[in-house]
Amino acid sequence: MRSRAGIPPHAHPPILPICSMLLSELPTGALAHVAQLQTRSADLDEAALQRLAELGFLPGEPVQVVQRGPGGREPLAVMVGDALFALRLAEAVCIEVALDGAAKLAEGQA
């Protein structure tokens, strides 16, 4: 049995790809989840990444850029889980975030 669109009724809808970006690139107010921490700045070492992890920037944690400093620069006011932190851009470029397809579509419709 086929549906009107020619797709079998038990077929799953296509899975939308995950959009990933750096936290520093995440639009203000957009919701995402931490994907991974990775050294991408000469200013930060493994100890700095460990500190970010201890603050709660762990894979799977919800994250949102709440506000940016003067001129859209630093510091970034970032909500991770239930905590609010101020991050420098050097720290924010070390945090990769994932924006799921549903959230991406919702942004486009807003």
mmCIF file of all heavy atoms in Angstrom, residues 19-60:
data_model
loop_
_atom_site.group_PDB
_atom_site.id
_atom_site.type_symbol
_atom_site.label_atom_id
_atom_site.label_comp_id
_atom_site.label_asym_id
_atom_site.label_seq_id
_atom_site.Cartn_x
_atom_site.Cartn_y
_atom_site.Cartn_z
ATOM 1 N N CYS A 19 23.429 20.521 11.778
ATOM 2 C CA CYS A 19 24.243 21.668 11.411
ATOM 3 C C CYS A 19 25.184 21.938 12.582
ATOM 4 O O CYS A 19 24.726 22.145 13.698
ATOM 5 C CB CYS A 19 23.339 22.869 11.153
ATOM 6 S SG CYS A 19 24.233 24.364 10.756
ATOM 7 N N SER A 20 26.474 21.902 12.326
ATOM 8 C CA SER A 20 27.414 22.186 13.404
ATOM 9 C C SER A 20 28.197 23.452 13.077
ATOM 10 O O SER A 20 28.388 23.803 11.909
ATOM 11 C CB SER A 20 28.358 21.012 13.650
ATOM 12 O OG SER A 20 29.208 20.839 12.560
ATOM 13 N N MET A 21 28.590 24.143 14.117
ATOM 14 C CA MET A 21 29.345 25.389 13.998
ATOM 15 C C MET A 21 30.061 25.626 15.302
ATOM 16 O O MET A 21 29.851 24.907 16.276
ATOM 17 C CB MET A 21 28.402 26.550 13.675
ATOM 18 C CG MET A 21 27.394 26.846 14.792
ATOM 19 S SD MET A 21 26.193 28.124 14.395
ATOM 20 C CE MET A 21 25.267 27.355 13.097
ATOM 21 N N LEU A 22 30.879 26.645 15.315
ATOM 22 C CA LEU A 22 31.556 27.019 16.547
ATOM 23 C C LEU A 22 30.627 27.876 17.385
ATOM 24 O O LEU A 22 29.774 28.591 16.848
ATOM 25 C CB LEU A 22 32.835 27.797 16.235
ATOM 26 C CG LEU A 22 33.854 27.064 15.358
ATOM 27 C CD1 LEU A 22 35.046 27.961 15.088
ATOM 28 C CD2 LEU A 22 34.269 25.765 15.994
ATOM 29 N N LEU A 23 30.787 27.801 18.678
ATOM 30 C CA LEU A 23 29.953 28.599 19.571
ATOM 31 C C LEU A 23 30.069 30.085 19.235
ATOM 32 O O LEU A 23 29.099 30.825 19.309
ATOM 33 C CB LEU A 23 30.329 28.342 21.030
ATOM 34 C CG LEU A 23 29.517 29.092 22.078
ATOM 35 C CD1 LEU A 23 28.037 28.732 22.002
ATOM 36 C CD2 LEU A 23 30.052 28.816 23.467
ATOM 37 N N SER A 24 31.238 30.513 18.828
ATOM 38 C CA SER A 24 31.444 31.919 18.475
ATOM 39 C C SER A 24 30.610 32.337 17.266
ATOM 40 O O SER A 24 30.321 33.514 17.080
ATOM 41 C CB SER A 24 32.922 32.181 18.184
ATOM 42 O OG SER A 24 33.364 31.359 17.122
ATOM 43 N N GLU A 25 30.178 31.369 16.433
ATOM 44 C CA GLU A 25 29.381 31.641 15.242
ATOM 45 C C GLU A 25 27.881 31.494 15.488
ATOM 46 O O GLU A 25 27.080 31.892 14.644
ATOM 47 C CB GLU A 25 29.766 30.679 14.119
ATOM 48 C CG GLU A 25 31.217 30.742 13.723
ATOM 49 C CD GLU A 25 31.643 29.583 12.832
ATOM 50 O OE1 GLU A 25 31.004 28.503 12.872
ATOM 51 O OE2 GLU A 25 32.619 29.758 12.115
ATOM 52 N N LEU A 26 27.502 30.903 16.612
ATOM 53 C CA LEU A 26 26.090 30.658 16.901
ATOM 54 C C LEU A 26 25.349 31.982 17.028
ATOM 55 O O LEU A 26 25.770 32.861 17.779
ATOM 56 C CB LEU A 26 25.967 29.854 18.204
ATOM 57 C CG LEU A 26 24.578 29.366 18.577
ATOM 58 C CD1 LEU A 26 24.076 28.326 17.578
ATOM 59 C CD2 LEU A 26 24.586 28.767 19.983
ATOM 60 N N PRO A 27 24.260 32.158 16.285
ATOM 61 C CA PRO A 27 23.510 33.407 16.393
ATOM 62 C C PRO A 27 22.972 33.614 17.810
ATOM 63 O O PRO A 27 22.592 32.652 18.486
ATOM 64 C CB PRO A 27 22.355 33.224 15.405
ATOM 65 C CG PRO A 27 22.797 32.154 14.468
ATOM 66 C CD PRO A 27 23.689 31.256 15.278
ATOM 67 N N THR A 28 22.932 34.844 18.249
ATOM 68 C CA THR A 28 22.401 35.170 19.570
ATOM 69 C C THR A 28 20.964 34.675 19.667
ATOM 70 O O THR A 28 20.156 34.922 18.782
ATOM 71 C CB THR A 28 22.467 36.688 19.811
ATOM 72 O OG1 THR A 28 23.826 37.106 19.680
ATOM 73 C CG2 THR A 28 21.959 37.055 21.192
ATOM 74 N N GLY A 29 20.663 33.936 20.726
ATOM 75 C CA GLY A 29 19.323 33.419 20.963
ATOM 76 C C GLY A 29 19.074 32.033 20.400
ATOM 77 O O GLY A 29 18.110 31.375 20.785
ATOM 78 N N ALA A 30 19.911 31.552 19.481
ATOM 79 C CA ALA A 30 19.717 30.222 18.895
ATOM 80 C C ALA A 30 20.058 29.146 19.923
ATOM 81 O O ALA A 30 20.978 29.298 20.721
ATOM 82 C CB ALA A 30 20.591 30.057 17.657
ATOM 83 N N LEU A 31 19.306 28.058 19.882
ATOM 84 C CA LEU A 31 19.536 26.935 20.790
ATOM 85 C C LEU A 31 20.354 25.862 20.091
ATOM 86 O O LEU A 31 20.127 25.564 18.925
ATOM 87 C CB LEU A 31 18.205 26.345 21.251
ATOM 88 C CG LEU A 31 17.302 27.284 22.040
ATOM 89 C CD1 LEU A 31 15.961 26.622 22.294
ATOM 90 C CD2 LEU A 31 17.961 27.687 23.339
ATOM 91 N N ALA A 32 21.307 25.299 20.815
ATOM 92 C CA ALA A 32 22.153 24.242 20.272
ATOM 93 C C ALA A 32 22.582 23.338 21.423
ATOM 94 O O ALA A 32 22.156 23.524 22.565
ATOM 95 C CB ALA A 32 23.365 24.847 19.575
ATOM 96 N N HIS A 33 23.401 22.364 21.107
ATOM 97 C CA HIS A 33 23.980 21.460 22.096
ATOM 98 C C HIS A 33 25.483 21.397 21.858
ATOM 99 O O HIS A 33 25.929 21.465 20.714
ATOM 100 C CB HIS A 33 23.388 20.054 21.977
ATOM 101 C CG HIS A 33 21.978 19.983 22.444
ATOM 102 N ND1 HIS A 33 20.917 20.325 21.641
ATOM 103 C CD2 HIS A 33 21.459 19.643 23.636
ATOM 104 C CE1 HIS A 33 19.803 20.182 22.329
ATOM 105 N NE2 HIS A 33 20.099 19.774 23.541
ATOM 106 N N VAL A 34 26.238 21.252 22.914
ATOM 107 C CA VAL A 34 27.686 21.110 22.786
ATOM 108 C C VAL A 34 27.971 19.806 22.059
ATOM 109 O O VAL A 34 27.442 18.753 22.418
ATOM 110 C CB VAL A 34 28.376 21.121 24.173
ATOM 111 C CG1 VAL A 34 29.868 20.853 24.033
ATOM 112 C CG2 VAL A 34 28.122 22.442 24.895
ATOM 113 N N ALA A 35 28.793 19.871 21.019
ATOM 114 C CA ALA A 35 29.192 18.675 20.281
ATOM 115 C C ALA A 35 30.548 18.172 20.775
ATOM 116 O O ALA A 35 30.704 16.996 21.067
ATOM 117 C CB ALA A 35 29.248 18.961 18.782
ATOM 118 N N GLN A 36 31.515 19.091 20.868
ATOM 119 C CA GLN A 36 32.844 18.697 21.338
ATOM 120 C C GLN A 36 33.664 19.923 21.673
ATOM 121 O O GLN A 36 33.342 21.030 21.266
ATOM 122 C CB GLN A 36 33.573 17.865 20.285
ATOM 123 C CG GLN A 36 33.926 18.630 19.018
ATOM 124 C CD GLN A 36 34.725 17.779 18.047
ATOM 125 O OE1 GLN A 36 35.295 16.755 18.415
ATOM 126 N NE2 GLN A 36 34.785 18.198 16.795
ATOM 127 N N LEU A 37 34.726 19.688 22.431
ATOM 128 C CA LEU A 37 35.715 20.723 22.740
ATOM 129 C C LEU A 37 36.979 20.367 21.977
ATOM 130 O O LEU A 37 37.383 19.202 21.952
ATOM 131 C CB LEU A 37 36.019 20.764 24.240
ATOM 132 C CG LEU A 37 34.863 21.095 25.168
ATOM 133 C CD1 LEU A 37 35.329 21.034 26.620
ATOM 134 C CD2 LEU A 37 34.286 22.457 24.856
ATOM 135 N N GLN A 38 37.593 21.372 21.358
ATOM 136 C CA GLN A 38 38.809 21.117 20.601
ATOM 137 C C GLN A 38 39.648 22.386 20.587
ATOM 138 O O GLN A 38 39.119 23.481 20.398
ATOM 139 C CB GLN A 38 38.453 20.702 19.178
ATOM 140 C CG GLN A 38 39.629 20.236 18.376
ATOM 141 C CD GLN A 38 39.195 19.653 17.038
ATOM 142 O OE1 GLN A 38 38.041 19.713 16.662
ATOM 143 N NE2 GLN A 38 40.133 19.090 16.327
ATOM 144 N N THR A 39 40.957 22.224 20.771
ATOM 145 C CA THR A 39 41.848 23.371 20.749
ATOM 146 C C THR A 39 41.887 23.950 19.350
ATOM 147 O O THR A 39 42.288 23.285 18.411
ATOM 148 C CB THR A 39 43.268 22.973 21.185
ATOM 149 O OG1 THR A 39 43.207 22.383 22.470
ATOM 150 C CG2 THR A 39 44.182 24.176 21.248
ATOM 151 N N ARG A 40 41.420 25.180 19.219
ATOM 152 C CA ARG A 40 41.449 25.874 17.928
ATOM 153 C C ARG A 40 42.069 27.257 18.070
ATOM 154 O O ARG A 40 42.035 28.043 17.153
ATOM 155 C CB ARG A 40 40.032 26.013 17.381
ATOM 156 C CG ARG A 40 39.432 24.721 16.915
ATOM 157 C CD ARG A 40 38.131 24.969 16.177
ATOM 158 N NE ARG A 40 37.616 23.754 15.607
ATOM 159 C CZ ARG A 40 36.700 22.986 16.189
ATOM 160 N NH1 ARG A 40 36.211 23.309 17.344
ATOM 161 N NH2 ARG A 40 36.287 21.898 15.601
ATOM 162 N N SER A 41 42.585 27.544 19.231
ATOM 163 C CA SER A 41 43.167 28.850 19.495
ATOM 164 C C SER A 41 44.546 28.660 20.112
ATOM 165 O O SER A 41 44.717 27.844 21.016
ATOM 166 C CB SER A 41 42.263 29.630 20.462
ATOM 167 O OG SER A 41 42.894 30.808 20.889
ATOM 168 N N ALA A 42 45.502 29.431 19.618
ATOM 169 C CA ALA A 42 46.853 29.358 20.170
ATOM 170 C C ALA A 42 46.886 29.857 21.611
ATOM 171 O O ALA A 42 47.809 29.553 22.358
ATOM 172 C CB ALA A 42 47.813 30.169 19.306
ATOM 173 N N ASP A 43 45.853 30.609 22.001
ATOM 174 C CA ASP A 43 45.793 31.172 23.351
ATOM 175 C C ASP A 43 45.362 30.149 24.403
ATOM 176 O O ASP A 43 45.502 30.400 25.594
ATOM 177 C CB ASP A 43 44.817 32.344 23.402
ATOM 178 C CG ASP A 43 45.255 33.500 22.523
ATOM 179 O OD1 ASP A 43 46.465 33.605 22.227
ATOM 180 O OD2 ASP A 43 44.386 34.290 22.125
ATOM 181 N N LEU A 44 44.802 29.019 23.974
ATOM 182 C CA LEU A 44 44.265 28.039 24.919
ATOM 183 C C LEU A 44 44.959 26.697 24.772
ATOM 184 O O LEU A 44 45.246 26.253 23.668
ATOM 185 C CB LEU A 44 42.763 27.869 24.724
ATOM 186 C CG LEU A 44 41.913 29.110 24.970
ATOM 187 C CD1 LEU A 44 40.455 28.812 24.684
ATOM 188 C CD2 LEU A 44 42.064 29.609 26.384
ATOM 189 N N ASP A 45 45.163 26.036 25.906
ATOM 190 C CA ASP A 45 45.784 24.721 25.907
ATOM 191 C C ASP A 45 44.800 23.696 26.459
ATOM 192 O O ASP A 45 43.631 23.991 26.688
ATOM 193 C CB ASP A 45 47.079 24.742 26.717
ATOM 194 C CG ASP A 45 46.853 25.200 28.162
ATOM 195 O OD1 ASP A 45 45.681 25.359 28.579
ATOM 196 O OD2 ASP A 45 47.850 25.394 28.881
ATOM 197 N N GLU A 46 45.278 22.492 26.686
ATOM 198 C CA GLU A 46 44.423 21.413 27.213
ATOM 199 C C GLU A 46 43.852 21.751 28.582
ATOM 200 O O GLU A 46 42.734 21.372 28.906
ATOM 201 C CB GLU A 46 45.197 20.095 27.270
ATOM 202 C CG GLU A 46 45.469 19.497 25.917
ATOM 203 C CD GLU A 46 44.206 19.118 25.157
ATOM 204 O OE1 GLU A 46 43.259 18.577 25.766
ATOM 205 O OE2 GLU A 46 44.166 19.387 23.940
ATOM 206 N N ALA A 47 44.605 22.486 29.400
ATOM 207 C CA ALA A 47 44.104 22.877 30.725
ATOM 208 C C ALA A 47 42.889 23.791 30.593
ATOM 209 O O ALA A 47 41.935 23.686 31.369
ATOM 210 C CB ALA A 47 45.202 23.561 31.530
ATOM 211 N N ALA A 48 42.904 24.660 29.601
ATOM 212 C CA ALA A 48 41.755 25.554 29.376
ATOM 213 C C ALA A 48 40.540 24.760 28.914
ATOM 214 O O ALA A 48 39.409 25.046 29.333
ATOM 215 C CB ALA A 48 42.113 26.627 28.357
ATOM 216 N N LEU A 49 40.772 23.751 28.076
ATOM 217 C CA LEU A 49 39.654 22.891 27.652
ATOM 218 C C LEU A 49 39.089 22.122 28.837
ATOM 219 O O LEU A 49 37.878 21.950 28.961
ATOM 220 C CB LEU A 49 40.101 21.914 26.556
ATOM 221 C CG LEU A 49 40.440 22.513 25.197
ATOM 222 C CD1 LEU A 49 40.776 21.400 24.209
ATOM 223 C CD2 LEU A 49 39.317 23.371 24.664
ATOM 224 N N GLN A 50 39.963 21.667 29.706
ATOM 225 C CA GLN A 50 39.519 20.960 30.913
ATOM 226 C C GLN A 50 38.663 21.878 31.783
ATOM 227 O O GLN A 50 37.649 21.473 32.324
ATOM 228 C CB GLN A 50 40.726 20.443 31.700
ATOM 229 C CG GLN A 50 40.368 19.696 32.961
ATOM 230 C CD GLN A 50 39.608 18.411 32.688
ATOM 231 O OE1 GLN A 50 39.846 17.738 31.693
ATOM 232 N NE2 GLN A 50 38.686 18.077 33.571
ATOM 233 N N ARG A 51 39.074 23.141 31.884
ATOM 234 C CA ARG A 51 38.309 24.122 32.669
ATOM 235 C C ARG A 51 36.926 24.322 32.059
ATOM 236 O O ARG A 51 35.914 24.369 32.772
ATOM 237 C CB ARG A 51 39.052 25.461 32.730
ATOM 238 C CG ARG A 51 38.318 26.511 33.526
ATOM 239 C CD ARG A 51 39.089 27.845 33.525
ATOM 240 N NE ARG A 51 38.183 28.918 33.787
ATOM 241 C CZ ARG A 51 37.509 29.609 32.867
ATOM 242 N NH1 ARG A 51 37.645 29.332 31.601
ATOM 243 N NH2 ARG A 51 36.702 30.584 33.209
ATOM 244 N N LEU A 52 36.837 24.423 30.726
ATOM 245 C CA LEU A 52 35.540 24.570 30.064
ATOM 246 C C LEU A 52 34.656 23.350 30.341
ATOM 247 O O LEU A 52 33.458 23.493 30.601
ATOM 248 C CB LEU A 52 35.724 24.774 28.558
ATOM 249 C CG LEU A 52 36.287 26.119 28.128
ATOM 250 C CD1 LEU A 52 36.639 26.103 26.636
ATOM 251 C CD2 LEU A 52 35.311 27.242 28.442
ATOM 252 N N ALA A 53 35.253 22.167 30.303
ATOM 253 C CA ALA A 53 34.499 20.943 30.599
ATOM 254 C C ALA A 53 34.003 20.953 32.037
ATOM 255 O O ALA A 53 32.853 20.588 32.314
ATOM 256 C CB ALA A 53 35.366 19.713 30.336
ATOM 257 N N GLU A 54 34.835 21.399 32.959
ATOM 258 C CA GLU A 54 34.433 21.464 34.366
ATOM 259 C C GLU A 54 33.316 22.476 34.591
ATOM 260 O O GLU A 54 32.502 22.311 35.505
ATOM 261 C CB GLU A 54 35.642 21.800 35.235
ATOM 262 C CG GLU A 54 36.639 20.663 35.326
ATOM 263 C CD GLU A 54 37.954 21.059 35.966
ATOM 264 O OE1 GLU A 54 38.150 22.256 36.287
ATOM 265 O OE2 GLU A 54 38.807 20.168 36.137
ATOM 266 N N LEU A 55 33.264 23.522 33.756
ATOM 267 C CA LEU A 55 32.185 24.511 33.862
ATOM 268 C C LEU A 55 30.856 23.965 33.333
ATOM 269 O O LEU A 55 29.811 24.541 33.597
ATOM 270 C CB LEU A 55 32.557 25.793 33.110
ATOM 271 C CG LEU A 55 33.668 26.625 33.714
ATOM 272 C CD1 LEU A 55 34.015 27.788 32.785
ATOM 273 C CD2 LEU A 55 33.285 27.148 35.093
ATOM 274 N N GLY A 56 30.914 22.879 32.573
ATOM 275 C CA GLY A 56 29.686 22.276 32.070
ATOM 276 C C GLY A 56 29.578 22.204 30.564
ATOM 277 O O GLY A 56 28.567 21.767 30.029
ATOM 278 N N PHE A 57 30.611 22.628 29.843
ATOM 279 C CA PHE A 57 30.597 22.549 28.388
ATOM 280 C C PHE A 57 30.975 21.129 27.978
ATOM 281 O O PHE A 57 32.090 20.857 27.542
ATOM 282 C CB PHE A 57 31.554 23.591 27.784
ATOM 283 C CG PHE A 57 31.060 24.997 27.963
ATOM 284 C CD1 PHE A 57 31.458 25.742 29.056
ATOM 285 C CD2 PHE A 57 30.180 25.567 27.057
ATOM 286 C CE1 PHE A 57 30.998 27.046 29.241
ATOM 287 C CE2 PHE A 57 29.713 26.864 27.230
ATOM 288 C CZ PHE A 57 30.127 27.601 28.324
ATOM 289 N N LEU A 58 30.015 20.235 28.151
ATOM 290 C CA LEU A 58 30.201 18.815 27.869
ATOM 291 C C LEU A 58 29.301 18.407 26.712
ATOM 292 O O LEU A 58 28.213 18.975 26.532
ATOM 293 C CB LEU A 58 29.852 17.983 29.102
ATOM 294 C CG LEU A 58 30.711 18.248 30.344
ATOM 295 C CD1 LEU A 58 30.104 17.574 31.560
ATOM 296 C CD2 LEU A 58 32.131 17.755 30.102
ATOM 297 N N PRO A 59 29.709 17.429 25.902
ATOM 298 C CA PRO A 59 28.878 16.984 24.792
ATOM 299 C C PRO A 59 27.452 16.650 25.238
ATOM 300 O O PRO A 59 27.241 15.984 26.249
ATOM 301 C CB PRO A 59 29.606 15.738 24.282
ATOM 302 C CG PRO A 59 31.038 16.013 24.625
ATOM 303 C CD PRO A 59 30.982 16.720 25.964
ATOM 304 N N GLY A 60 26.495 17.192 24.493
ATOM 305 C CA GLY A 60 25.085 16.954 24.777
ATOM 306 C C GLY A 60 24.417 18.040 25.601
ATOM 307 O O GLY A 60 23.193 18.123 25.651
#
